[in-house]
Amino acid sequence: MSTEWGTGYEDTTAASEMETYSDWSTQSGDTPGVRPDLMQEPPQEQVDLSRLDAENEDWQYRYFKRCNFSQATLTSLRTTHCSFVECNFTAVDMHHSAHRLSSFVSCTFLGAQIAGATFDDCKLAGSAFDSAQLASVVFRGGDMTSVSFAGVDLSGKDLSDARLFSADLSQADLHGATLTGADLRQVRLERTNFEGADLRGALLDGFDATQALLTGARVDRDQCVSLAQTFGVVVV
């Protein structure tokens, strides 16, 4: 699709500040977000969309940058290949929304109501979910590089194969979570609860186990060695 607004428009999502970690790819192999030549609506920048009511709408191939969605009603909203860059979703209602191959880069979800939402192969890099309500939220894969889940309840969540490189998990509750194959390198930990979590196959470089609660957590043999070394144990 060629459009007047799409031609020559800068794709800031593709060249985002997360470009350093560009080795991540979606499970489908497709690129999340929207290319300029595929946008189905004019791009929206710095638009006040607070208190917008988009309940049960279907958004495809749309682009938003630095827009304010605070307190908007996005219940059951469906997005596909949409890009949201540095947008404000504070206190938004996104209950039961569904997002596939959409990109939320450096967005703020403080106090957002996201219960029952689904993020399928989405890019959430650099976004902050502090104090967000994530009950029954489903993350299928996805890039969560440098995401902040500080103090968030992620207990029982299936985060297998998720990229959480350099994420802030301080005081987060991940007890009983499935993190098999997840990228947990350089995550920030502070009284983070991994009790009963499945960490087998997860990448743990820079994982400071002294700042985590790991009672009952499942790890593989290779991980046992690196975790023991964190506590000064010499493995021979």
Side-chain angles (χ1 to χ4, degrees):
M1 177 181 297
S2 177
T3 61
E4 181 177 311
W5 59 79
T7 303
Y9 193 80
E10 181 184 1
D11 184 4
T12 56
T13 301
S16 74
E17 52 273 84
M18 299 304 156
E19 195 174 57
T20 304
Y21 310 113
S22 60
D23 58 314
W24 174 80
S25 60
T26 62
Q27 294 177 347
S28 65
D30 206 349
T31 302
V34 58
R35 294 204 325 259
D37 58 319
L38 293 178
M39 286 189 286
Q40 296 186 358
E41 300 281 347
Q44 298 196 56
E45 296 193 31
Q46 298 183 326
V47 178
D48 185 3
L49 298 170
S50 60
R51 303 187 184 280
L52 169 73
D53 187 349
E55 182 175 358
N56 207 37
E57 290 189 6
D58 189 358
W59 293 358
Q60 298 185 36
Y61 298 96
R62 299 184 65 177
Y63 181 94
F64 302 86
K65 182 175 181 180
R66 295 177 183 166
C67 292
N68 180 24
F69 289 93
S70 63
Q71 301 185 55
T73 300
L74 306 179
T75 309
S76 299
L77 171 70
R78 298 173 299 281
T79 73
T80 305
H81 276 295
C82 290
S83 291
F84 302 87
V85 181
E86 298 177 5
C87 291
N88 179 16
F89 291 95
T90 297
V92 73
D93 186 350
M94 296 178 70
H95 281 96
H96 304 294
S97 58
H99 312 278
R100 181 175 179 276
L101 289 166
S102 287
S103 177
F104 298 84
V105 173
S106 299
C107 294
T108 302
F109 292 87
L110 303 182
Q113 304 294 319
I114 316 179
T118 300
F119 294 87
D120 192 353
D121 253 357
C122 290
K123 183 172 185 175
L124 305 173
S127 292
F129 290 85
D130 306 37
S131 72
Q133 302 300 309
L134 300 177
S136 302
V137 168
V138 175
F139 296 101
R140 296 194 184 99
D143 183 5
M144 302 180 212
T145 298
S146 298
V147 159
S148 177
F149 283 129
V152 172
D153 184 359
L154 296 168
S155 57
K157 290 283 184 292
D158 185 353
L159 295 168
S160 54
D161 298 318
R163 185 184 182 98
L164 287 157
F165 181 90
S166 196
D168 186 353
L169 303 178
S170 56
Q171 301 184 50
D173 184 0
L174 289 121
H175 83 265
T178 301
L179 293 152
T180 52
D183 186 347
L184 296 174
R185 293 174 298 161
Q186 308 299 327
V187 292
R188 179 182 177 186
L189 305 178
E190 180 186 342
R191 299 195 301 278
T192 307
N193 186 1
F194 289 99
E195 294 179 336
D198 191 346
L199 299 168
R200 290 174 294 180
L203 301 176
L204 300 180
D205 295 352
F207 184 96
D208 186 358
T210 65
Q211 296 296 320
L213 304 174
L214 291 164
T215 303
R218 283 169 287 176
V219 296
D220 56 41
R221 291 184 179 181
D222 290 339
Q223 291 171 325
C224 284
V225 175
S226 62
L227 292 173
Q229 291 173 338
T230 300
F231 292 96
V233 176
V234 177
V235 180
V236 295

